[in-house]
Amino acid sequence: MIVPRAGKIGWVRWSIGFLLFFAVLINYIDRSSMSVAEHDMRIEFGLTEGQIGIILGSFGWTYALMQIPMGMLLDKIGIKWVMRAATILWTISCFLTAAISGMGLLLVARLILGFAEAPIFPGAMKTTGYWFPRSERGMATVIFDSGQRLSNVIGFPIVGAAVALFGWRGAFITIGVLSLLYTVVFFFRYRDPKEMNRRGKLSDAELNHILAGGAQHEDAPKPNPLANLGYILRQRKVWGMSLGLGCAGYVQWMLLTWLPGFLQSQMHMDVAKSGLITAVPWLFAVIVQYALPGYWLDRLIRHGRSSTAVRRAFIIGGMLLATTIAGTAFTHDLFWSLVWITLGTTGITIAFSVTNSLPALIAPEGSVGATGAVMNTVNNIIGTTAPIVTGFIVQFTGSFAWAFIVAGIMLVIGIFFYTVVLGRIEPIPSAEERAAIGASSRA
């Protein structure tokens, strides 16, 4: 992984970035583990495909439902304690899954996991807002965002090997131990910048570098959670960002849930080969992710280019590149299908990487958690329709062609929200600041 050289100011902030990376990576391995182990679990408990489908989908219920409440808690209580509680709870969920004796407890364990992992992305966005100057947000966001994509490359092999060696219960114990180790590291390692500075773990030079570069202030007044949420929901920028990401998220969910099925049914691959081929687009996307929205975005901004222009160029460029995924509808050749899918996956990854940095850039002071949670909620609501829509398209047409065409249309709609609705990428004044500006203009 490429990280800018920190020079004499120190590198503590980058260690925090990698702490977030491992949180996201472990989270996504947790989520994928059930799909790997479900065959053995279904046989042991005598579950039908419909019942296991309910269990697989149950994670998303509490995950989506708790996004906004967790974002509000992050803004009100702070990152440290919300994330500590989350890591403990998702560890418990892993061990509980290993100990369950039927569908009821299995459902409970998945619901707990969705609840526990809900604050991870809003928390990561808020953390980068505290820990990184605006000129380093590109790489900072890429670091934690790449965790979810690398999980598609290494998560299935890790869980599959654990199931083969220890059985499905042993696999969940293994994941639980991994989560427990992370919980201990996070508990002792994470502090907000000023607390870290007071403890002598962060130099004055690095703290000044962070604050002078436009980082959000951790001691900003804590807004009233409900009033603040209402204010955020009235902001056009928030909806432009959220709906734009949701359109990209639709295509990402389609690929995550249906790409192996596409390769098996339409390209006539066996399960093992389709698993290896599925990893190729995501691995390529991660490499590009570190090079473009990571290194080059920050470099351009540090050299004086407009922050809005650069970020918008990367988002729109990524979305335009992603529309090439529609080309898959017009070929039956494996090579060209893989080319179009890889280009589409890479474009989506670029757009996601830059958009995930936006809440910390546009949110009113003290509101990054709630703003990121709104964005993630909209993204998940739109994204979770993709598996259903794709399934019905394939059922009625007998082909994935129209599914890929619909994906291209969704990306074009997303470009509209990013360009026309989002507008300039700049901080939204708080309700108090806006009221003061209004009073001053009337005077």
Side-chain angles (χ1 to χ4, degrees):
M1 296 178 185
I2 305 167
V3 176
R5 296 181 63 183
K8 296 181 180 179
I9 60 175
W11 58 275
V12 174
R13 63 196 185 283
W14 296 109
S15 72
I16 297 298
F18 283 109
L19 192 65
L20 298 176
F21 163 80
F22 284 108
V24 174
L25 179 67
I26 293 170
N27 269 206
Y28 272 78
I29 292 175
D30 288 347
R31 299 177 198 186
S32 67
S33 57
M34 186 71 72
S35 60
V36 177
E38 62 87 10
H39 177 74
D40 291 350
M41 299 170 77
R42 181 155 47 88
I43 293 173
E44 180 171 332
F45 297 129
L47 300 174
T48 66
E49 287 83 355
Q51 287 173 321
I52 205 73
I54 291 171
I55 291 167
L56 287 170
S58 61
F59 165 87
W61 304 342
T62 45
Y63 182 78
L65 184 66
M66 294 307 298
Q67 282 294 305
I68 291 176
M70 287 299 180
M72 295 162 66
L73 274 177
L74 284 162
D75 288 336
K76 191 67 178 177
I77 298 174
I79 297 164
K80 181 172 71 175
W81 286 106
V82 173
M83 294 286 277
R84 281 178 174 180
T87 58
I88 292 169
L89 198 56
W90 92 54
T91 301
I92 291 172
S93 172
C94 292
F95 287 122
L96 179 61
T97 303
I100 55 95
S101 57
M103 180 175 175
L105 283 176
L106 189 55
L107 187 63
V108 169
R110 292 297 286 181
L111 291 170
I112 292 173
L113 185 66
F115 182 94
E117 293 190 355
I120 299 305
F121 263 86
M125 295 170 193
K126 190 173 181 71
T127 302
T128 57
Y130 281 173
W131 270 97
F132 291 91
R134 296 169 72 89
S135 63
E136 295 176 350
R137 298 279 174 81
M139 180 60 75
T141 305
V142 162
I143 288 173
F144 78 74
D145 184 77
S146 66
Q148 64 173 308
R149 309 187 195 284
L150 283 174
S151 71
N152 298 319
V153 179
I154 66 175
F156 286 116
I158 288 175
V159 178
V163 171
L165 289 171
F166 312 121
W168 72 263
R169 292 184 189 273
F172 281 101
I173 291 173
T174 302
I175 299 166
V177 170
L178 184 65
S179 297
L180 180 61
L181 290 173
Y182 181 81
T183 299
V184 173
V185 172
F186 186 88
F187 194 97
F188 287 103
R189 178 59 182 166
Y190 184 80
R191 301 290 188 278
D192 290 337
K194 289 185 179 179
E195 183 180 354
M196 193 83 88
N197 177 253
R198 289 195 298 270
R199 289 170 170 261
K201 304 294 185 181
L202 178 69
S203 69
D204 290 341
E206 188 166 5
L207 179 62
N208 291 335
H209 171 75
I210 292 167
L211 295 177
Q216 291 235 340
H217 293 283
E218 61 198 74
D219 51 3
K222 303 290 190 297
N224 177 280
L226 288 176
N228 187 54
L229 177 62
Y231 179 73
I232 289 169
L233 289 173
R234 294 193 298 272
Q235 304 307 310
R236 175 174 169 170
K237 287 184 186 299
V238 173
W239 286 105
M241 169 184 71
S242 302
L243 291 168
L245 185 67
C247 291
Y250 175 94
V251 184
Q252 177 167 275
W253 273 78
M254 187 192 83
L255 292 170
L256 289 172
T257 54
W258 278 104
L259 182 54
F262 164 76
L263 293 171
Q264 291 165 31
S265 65
Q266 199 150 312
M267 295 294 144
H268 311 294
M269 289 185 177
D270 59 35
V271 174
K273 189 173 182 180
S274 69
L276 291 173
I277 294 297
T278 298
V280 172
W282 297 110
L283 183 60
F284 185 84
V286 168
I287 294 170
V288 174
Q289 182 180 26
Y290 273 89
L292 293 181
Y295 177 77
W296 277 105
L297 185 147
D298 287 344
R299 180 180 175 86
L300 289 170
I301 291 174
R302 282 196 299 270
H303 282 74
R305 299 295 179 89
S306 164
S307 172
T308 290
V310 170
R311 288 191 167 91
R312 178 175 287 178
F314 274 89
I315 292 173
I316 304 307
M319 294 290 280
L320 288 170
L321 178 63
T323 61
T324 60
I325 199 169
T328 314
F330 305 101
T331 182
H332 296 286
D333 182 79
L334 174 60
F335 173 79
W336 282 108
S337 294
L338 190 59
V339 167
W340 297 130
I341 290 169
T342 300
L343 290 174
T345 303
T346 302
I348 291 166
T349 299
I350 293 170
F352 256 84
S353 297
V354 182
T355 306
N356 279 335
S357 71
L358 298 188
L361 294 166
I362 73 170
E365 283 284 355
S367 305
V368 177
T371 304
V374 168
M375 183 181 79
N376 215 25
T377 300
V378 173
N379 174 39
N380 277 279
I381 289 172
I382 296 175
T384 50
T385 66
I388 301 169
V389 172
T390 302
F392 279 110
I393 289 174
V394 175
Q395 178 181 329
F396 287 117
T397 67
S399 166
F400 281 86
W402 274 102
F404 284 107
I405 291 171
V406 169
I409 293 170
M410 288 295 293
L411 291 163
V412 172
I413 295 171
I415 291 171
F416 167 81
F417 285 112
Y418 276 128
T419 52
V420 177
V421 182
L422 174 60
R424 287 187 59 80
I425 300 172
E426 58 189 7
I428 299 168
S430 66
E432 293 76 13
E433 290 170 338
R434 188 159 286 175
I437 292 170
S440 175
S441 63
R442 287 193 297 272

